[in-house]
Structures are given as C-alpha cells and as structure tokens.
C-alpha cells in the first residue's frame, strides 16, 4: 500500500469542516489496527484527537469535539447520547398507547379536576420516562467495539464487535425527517432482533459519520484470502485501505478503485455512472427513473394492500368497538343488511379489485421512490422511499452473488427484480434488495457492474424433467377432481379439472425455467414459474453440495443438486438434472471435492 | 456404520409404525362413530379397513427399512472432504469440504446411548452444506469428530 494521503493532492476542494488527514502524521497509530501494513495517514481521519495530538480540536462541554463533521469516535471514544430532538418524537409515538387509558380515566372519573390531574400525571410521567431513558442511554465506539449502555433500571451494556457488523441500515421515518433525524440499525447477522443494535435517533449528520466510522473500522481487519477467489476479491480486500483516505477528501480516482474490473457495463449506462459526489468515494450504479414505477404492480407486490387496509379498519372498529358499543349483534345486523343489497356487495368487490393495482402501485411508488444504488467505500448502498427514506449499506466483501426474480406477468414485460446474496444478512428480503422492478437488460447491467457479470447460457435439463414438471403440475388436480367427482361435487370437480388443464402450460413453463451453468467464477441455477428465480453465486461461497434423489427421481434417472451457500437462502438447487449431468456440474465447479468420489466405489 | 445402527433404525421405525397405526386406528374409530352426512355411507362402514391396510403395508417396511438403510448409509473422509450417503427409498449424498466446517457436534440420544452409538453433526454456514451422520459406533464417532475438528481448525477458510 502506498501512502496516497500525503502524496496525492486533492483534485476537489476538501470540505473545510472535514478533518484534514494531512495534519495527522503517520506517527499517530491506533492500537486496534491489526498490522503495521494497514497503517497510513488514510485511516487516521477516523481517530480521536488523542494524546498524540493535544488540542487539535476544541472540545465541547461533554469532552466532545465541537467541530461538525469530524468523527469523534476514537480509541476510547467518549460515550455519546442520542439526539435530544428525539424527545420531541417520543411522546407523539407514545400517544396511541396512552390514548385509551387516558380516555378511560376521563370517562370513568367524569370530567372532574381529579381525573384531569391523573391524566396530566400520566402524560407527564411518560415524558419524564422518555427523558430519563434518553439520558441513561449512551453509545460509544471503543476500540473495535460499539458499546450500547442502558442504565435505566439495571445497567446493561451491549457490546457489538465491529467485526460482526455486516450492514448498516439508516432509516428516516417522516417525523424523524422533519427534525432531521435518522434511525441507525446495525445488522450483525446474529439473527433475530435481540442481537442487533439500534440507535433511535441520531441527527442525520451523526448517523452518516457514525456509519462511516463503523464501516471503516470493521473493514480494516484483513481476512485470509480464500482459494479460487477472483480478482474482484483482491481489490475488495485492498479497498478498505483506501476508505479512510477517500472519506476525508482525498479522491482516489473513484470508479477504478472500488474493485470493478467491469467498466464496459459502466460506460454503457453513461450519465448515471461515474458520478462522484461529496467527500465519499462514491459512484451511482443505478438510479431507477420515475417512469419505471409503473412496472410496480406487475410484481404483485402490495396488490393485497386494499384487503390489508380493510382488515385493519375492521380490526380497529372491533378494538374501539367496546367503547362505541358495537357488538356482535350489531355486526350481524350490518351483515344481513349487506346481504339484502347484493348489488352493493358486488359493486364493493369490483371496486376493491379495481383498487388493487392502483393502491398497490401507489404503495409500491411510496416505498420505492427514487431507488438509487451506489457504491461507497467498498459498500453497496441502496436508498429508497418517499415518506420514509431508507438507506441500506451492504458490505461488498460479503456479497456472494445475486438473484434475479420475475413473476409470470413480469416476464411478459421483460422486467425483473434484483436481490443481493449476502452472507449473514438478516431480513434479506428487504435489506438485500438491489433493484425494484426494472427492465431485465438494465438489471443485468447493474448486477454485472455491482457484483459481477454472468453471461454463460444455462444448460437445459433432460426431458425426464419436463415429464416430471408436467406430472407434478397436473396430477394433484386430477386426483382432487376424481375425488370430488366420486363425492358427487360436480362444481368443485370441474374447477379442479380446469386447474389441471392450466397445469399443462405451467408445467411446461417450469421446465423451460430449469437450467444451470458455470462460467469459471460463478455458478447459476434457475427454477420456478409463477416466481422464477435465477441465482448467480460465486464459487468460493459454496460450502458443500447435497445431491438428492427421491424414488421417483431415480425411476426417471434424474437428481437434484443443491449448492450449499452460506448466504441468501442457504442452498440453491438445480432441480432434476440428469444423473450424470448433475454430478458433472458439481464436479465442474469444485473438481477437487467431487473428483475423488467419482472414482470411489461408494458412489 | 456400526451394525448396531440396524437396531437403532429398527427402534425408530417401530416407533414410527406405532404412531401411524395408532393414528389410523383413531381416525377409523372417529369415522365409524360419526355419522357425518358428507361422507358416503360405504366409507364409514368400511372404516376398519384403514388401520388394516396401514398395518399390512407398513409392517414389512419396519423390517426392510433398517436393513436397507444399513446397505445405503456410508461415510468417509478423504482428501479433506467429508462424504456421506444416506436414505433408503430416497437417497442423499452430501459433500462437505473440511475447510468450510464451522462446528462438529457429537450427540447421543437415549437409544443411541443404550446401543453405544453416536451421531456426528457437521455444520457449515449453510443447511445445504451440513451433514448428519447417524449410527456410528461411539468410539469411531469420537475419533472422527476429534479429527474433523482438528483438521477444520488447520484448514479454516473464512470465505463465507
């Protein structure tokens, strides 16, 4: 590693508020850094004004540096509090839970001064509770750990090793947005909410700088380079060394440094790419134009929102119903009234069905507004949302591949959704999303740019697989139809027959989806019809193989090969490959694992 | 596999048989007692056939399954890859390279303890790359788990 910090002048004017790394000599070292090779002026931008540099920054009353934008999380970083502005949000957030008890007190006690007093006490109590909770919660970055200290009743310290942080999720709900606050969530891959850290709420600037610090710290730890890893991995390991530098305003000719040997795809998308902004080593990989929001309803996402809304309303009516004296009898009366007006009922249902795509589209647009995917310092950051803006950072080093998903209707319009396959990512359905519904060519470009290209055509599976797909799509319905017919339910029987007929194109389509391929770095498998998914996974992510063969598969001479991957769903199956074909596929990807057993008599 | 594994599988299949047969008996009893109009008459009249069929079909399997499993189940460690084959009607082959192993567990249930058998569970970051090898002789399992753990530590590769 060279020392670009002192050698390279900054082509852009560094933000004056930023700490200038050139002030800090290489003499200042942080003990958490594992090796001298990693030291350089680059990372010292994240350092606290320590003993090595007395009085470089003036300190605020809390011993905190007052310089805005500086990153005051040093080796023994001072404990910090959440933004006090969150106190304005907390009571509002508690209001719904307080509303019913308050109403109860007021109703039960009559509108007497005493009951008003009690109510005031309740409100005051909740405010005091919020203040005390705020005052007793601190966080600090200490060495290579983040410590969250809660001292409300009993003192509890949650320590999160930065090494474990796999992604950072910054969300700004509407209220937070008004007050320029953000919620920062740490994904530690521990699974479940218990182990994950949440800071609610920081100022937006603080959240950004804390994210930079957390991500820089954790990416310094070098890892043994796994065998067979591609060039992309090499650059990814080197990339963190540049992080600190870039963050502090020394530009390192952006795009070429962040581990993308795939510049063809970048230039193909011209204007959006190559744009760097601010003081980050940042590049926008993809930005979804507003006109593409119209593809949203095709995915089927949020289509059920009208029903969910109605269910919510009914639930609310019953919840509040106790107070308003709505009971089962009245509800039944309403139902009988509706039964008496079938036209109204039909109109309602039609309205609801018409509302499905509209409301679904609106919800989709609200959640996926201005979806932007960018790289920043070895991270992929996906930002989206109209009301609540959400930014999810995924560490590139942990990304093992991607998944392209399209449904039946989406395929007609040639649009797909894109997910990243990330090791140890909790809630990967929402966090791993790299693109909402976008045209396939665009999504493939973005995936190639952000993760890696995969152009090898998929190998089809043998014809027995088609027979099996057809059989499995048709027979169950035929059996149901036969049973219904025997029981004398003609209507149900004919419905099942129709479904069985529909099973023919479905089975054929399922067969057409099947495929697998390997291009030397990544393997890919595809299956499904109503929801077709193509996974592209790096070879080095594979932790094992499972070959499965049911009795029926053995009779057809096919088997299912599952590539075990410590990321995403855990296993990616190539369904119903030919017996030899499947074993060859596994042996092709990892010859040194499978090879010996092909020769062994135990197969 | 240890030969005693046959006994273990026999016990397990007996338990499975008991559950299925009991379930069928209960179902037949319930169908016979209820006069649910939806069911055609011939079904409730012949409900006693159900446990009979279940018994006749499953009883031979109780004996066949353990023997068949014994013929199928294999495991070996060579070239730092664990290979395990299991199943009887359906088969499963698992390949786990030692370098990707995260934990190696050795477990013993009641019956296994009585039969001096043990199960070695090999865990990786993925369920599809994890393997459970059942019915090993206790000493063999202990040695195997030990060796795997040692080798895994030497070869640990943190790619995932």
């Amino acid at each position: 590693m060279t020392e670009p910090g002192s050698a390279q002048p900054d082509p852009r004017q560094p933000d004056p508020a930023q700490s200038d790394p050139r002030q800090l000599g290489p003499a200042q070292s942080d003990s958490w850094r594992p090796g001298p090779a990693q030291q350089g002026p680059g990372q010292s931008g994240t350092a606290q004004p320590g003993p090595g540099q007395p009085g470089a920054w003036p300190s605020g009353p809390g011993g905190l540096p007052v310089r805005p934008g500086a990153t005051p999380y040093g080796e023994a970083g001072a404990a910090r509090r959440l933004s006090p502005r969150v106190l304005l949000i907390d009571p509002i957030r508690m209001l719904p839970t307080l509303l019913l008890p308050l109403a109860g007190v007021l109703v039960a006690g009559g509108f007497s001064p005493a009951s008003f007093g009690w109510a005031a006490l309740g409100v005051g109590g909740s405010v005091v509770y919020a203040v005390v909770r705020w005052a007793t919660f601190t966080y600090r970055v200490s060495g290579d750990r983040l410590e969250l200290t809660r001292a409300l009743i009993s003192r509890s310290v949650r320590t999160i090793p930065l090494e474990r942080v796999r992604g950072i999720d910054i969300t700004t709900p509407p209220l937070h947005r008004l007050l320029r606050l953000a919620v920062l969530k740490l994904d530690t891959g521990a699974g479940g909410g218990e182990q994950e850290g949440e800071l609610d709420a920081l100022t937006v600037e603080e959240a950004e700088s804390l994210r930079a610090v957390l991500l820089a710290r954790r990416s310094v730890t070098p890892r043994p380079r796994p065998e067979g890893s591609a060039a992309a991995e090499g650059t990814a390991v080197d990339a963190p060394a540049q992080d600190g530098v870039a963050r502090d305003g020394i530009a390192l000719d952006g795009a070429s440094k962040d581990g993308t040997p795939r510049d063809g795809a970048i230039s193909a998308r011209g204007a959006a790419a190559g744009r760097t902004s601010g003081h980050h080593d940042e590049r926008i990989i993809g930005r979804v134009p507003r006109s593409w929001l119209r593809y949203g309803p095709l995915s089927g996402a949020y289509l059920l929102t009208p029903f969910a809304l109605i269910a919510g309303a009914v639930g609310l009516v019953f919840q509040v119903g106790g107070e308003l004296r709505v009971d089962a009898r009245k509800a039944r009366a309403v139902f009988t009234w509706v039964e008496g007006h079938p036209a109204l009922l039909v109109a309602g249902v039609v309205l609801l069905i018409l509302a499905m795509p509209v409301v679904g589209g609106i919800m989709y647009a609200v959640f996926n507004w201005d979806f932007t995917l960018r790289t920043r310092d070895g991270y992929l950051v996906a930002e989206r949302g109209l009301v609540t803006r959400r930014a999810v950072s995924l560490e590139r080093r942990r990304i093992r591949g991607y998944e392209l998903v399209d449904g039946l209707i989406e395929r007609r319009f040639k649009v797909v959704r894109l997910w990243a396959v990330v090791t140890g990512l909790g809630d990967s359905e929402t966090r791993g999303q790299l693109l909402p519904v976008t045209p396939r060519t665009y999504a493939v470009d973005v995936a190639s740019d952000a993760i890696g290209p995969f152009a090898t055509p998929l190998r089809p599976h043998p014809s027995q697989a088609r027979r099996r797909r057809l059989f499995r799509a048709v027979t169950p319905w035929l059996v149901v139809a036969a049973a219904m017919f025997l029981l004398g339910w003609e209507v149900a029987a004919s419905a099942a027959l129709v479904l069985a007929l529909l099973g023919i194109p479905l089975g054929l389509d399922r067969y057409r989806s099947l495929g697998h391929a390997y291009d030397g770095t990544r393997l890919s498998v595809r299956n499904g019809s109503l929801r077709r998914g193509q996974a592209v996974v790096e070879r080095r992510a594979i932790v094992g193989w499972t070959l499965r063969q049911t009795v029926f598969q053995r009779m057809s001479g096919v088997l299912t090969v599952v590539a075990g991957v410590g990321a995403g769903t855990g296993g990616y199956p190539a369904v119903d490959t030919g017996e030899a074909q499947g074993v060859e596929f596994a042996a092709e990807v990892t010859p040194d694992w499978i090879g010996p057993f092909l020769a062994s008599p135990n197969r | 596999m240890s030969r005693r594994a046959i006994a273990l599988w026999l016990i397990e299949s007996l338990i499975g048989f008991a559950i299925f047969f009991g379930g069928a008996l209960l179902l037949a009893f319930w169908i016979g007692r209820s006069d649910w109009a939806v069911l055609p008459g011939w079904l409730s009249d012949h409900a006693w056939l159900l446990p009979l069929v279940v018994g006749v079909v499953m009883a031979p399997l109780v004996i066949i399954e353990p023997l068949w499993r014994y013929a199928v189940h294999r495991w070996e460690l060579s070239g730092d890859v664990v290979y395990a084959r299991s199943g009887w009607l359906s088969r499963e082959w698992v390949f786990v390279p030692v370098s990707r192993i995260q934990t190696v567990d050795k477990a013993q249930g009641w019956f296994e303890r009585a039969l001096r058998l043990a199960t070695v569970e090999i865990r990786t970051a993925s369920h599809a790359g994890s393997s459970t090898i059942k019915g090993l002789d206790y000493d063999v399992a202990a040695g195997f788990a030990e060796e795997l753990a040692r080798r895994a530590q030497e070869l640990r590769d943190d790619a995932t």
Side-chain angles (χ1 to χ4, degrees), chain B residues 65-130:
Chain B
E65 188 196 334
L67 295 173
W68 200 339
R69 277 190 184 277
Y70 183 72
V72 170
H73 282 230
R74 292 286 180 276
W75 64 275
E76 82 180 70
L77 170 68
S78 73
D80 283 326
V81 179
V82 180
Y83 161 73
R85 185 173 68 184
S86 59
W88 57 304
L89 285 173
S90 301
R91 304 235 167 126
E92 189 172 279
W93 299 261
V94 181
F95 298 85
V96 183
V98 174
S99 59
R100 303 297 162 92
I101 291 176
Q102 285 184 334
T103 64
V104 181
D105 291 358
K106 187 177 72 218
Q108 266 188 309
W110 288 358
F111 301 125
E112 285 180 301
R113 202 180 267 183
L115 293 163
R116 280 181 298 114
L117 291 172
T119 299
V120 174
E121 289 173 22
I122 300 166
R123 295 266 165 272
T124 64
S126 155
H127 62 84
S130 299

Side-chain angles (χ1 to χ4, degrees), chain A residues 159-181:
Chain A
T159 306
I160 300 172
L162 298 191
E163 217 265 320
R164 287 260 154 259
V165 178
R166 277 156 192 203
I168 287 177
D169 187 340
I170 294 183
T171 322
T172 51
L175 272 177
H176 289 68
R177 214 163 170 191
L178 276 179
L179 299 165
R180 294 201 42 75
L181 291 174

Side-chain angles (χ1 to χ4, degrees), chain A residues 225-433:
Chain A
R225 196 169 304 182
E227 42 85 36
S229 65
E233 165 72 1
T235 43
V237 171
D238 292 341
Q242 294 141 11
D243 286 356
V245 179
R247 185 167 301 112
D248 289 322
I250 307 286
L252 286 162
D253 54 340
S256 69
K257 291 283 184 185
D258 62 344
T260 46
R262 302 164 290 253
D263 286 345
I266 302 168
S267 53
R269 272 197 324 287
R275 196 188 303 160
T276 54
S277 73
H279 51 277
H280 293 290
D281 174 12
E282 186 172 312
R283 184 170 61 85
I284 291 182
I285 295 181
R287 176 168 237 158
V288 179
R290 220 157 282 171
S291 59
W292 288 356
L293 287 175
R294 69 175 190 273
Y295 294 134
L298 300 180
S299 70
Y302 309 111
L303 275 190
L304 295 179
T305 20
F307 297 99
L309 288 178
I310 286 183
V314 169
L316 194 71
V317 163
F318 273 101
Q319 209 179 5
V320 183
E323 250 109 301
L324 301 177
R325 294 180 219 295
V326 176
D327 51 19
R329 197 143 37 90
K330 279 203 179 148
R332 220 171 298 136
V334 169
F335 276 120
T336 43
W337 181 82
V338 169
E339 269 179 4
H341 299 71
L344 212 68
L345 194 66
V346 168
V349 169
V350 167
L351 206 69
L352 210 60
I353 288 171
L354 284 181
M356 274 168 66
V358 177
V359 178
I362 291 171
M363 295 297 284
Y364 174 82
V366 165
F367 281 115
N368 291 297
W369 192 261
D370 194 21
F371 197 109
T372 313
L373 181 70
R374 63 189 90 206
T375 66
R376 184 190 289 166
D377 314 327
Y379 278 77
L380 281 181
V381 185
E383 213 177 320
R384 60 171 171 276
L386 180 65
V387 183
T388 296
R389 194 91 183 128
R390 185 167 193 196
V392 182
S393 308
L394 302 173
E395 194 185 0
R396 284 185 97 160
R397 228 155 25 89
R398 292 202 179 268
I399 296 179
R400 294 285 177 267
Y402 52 89
E403 216 179 341
L404 289 162
V405 177
D406 47 6
L408 214 53
I409 311 168
E410 287 170 288
R411 236 172 302 153
R412 282 203 70 83
F413 289 86
K414 293 197 170 57
V415 291
V416 291
R417 290 161 278 162
L418 177 67
W419 271 271
V421 173
V422 188
T423 62
L425 182 73
D427 188 17
S428 56
E429 253 316 274
T430 48
R431 284 183 182 163
Q433 187 162 28

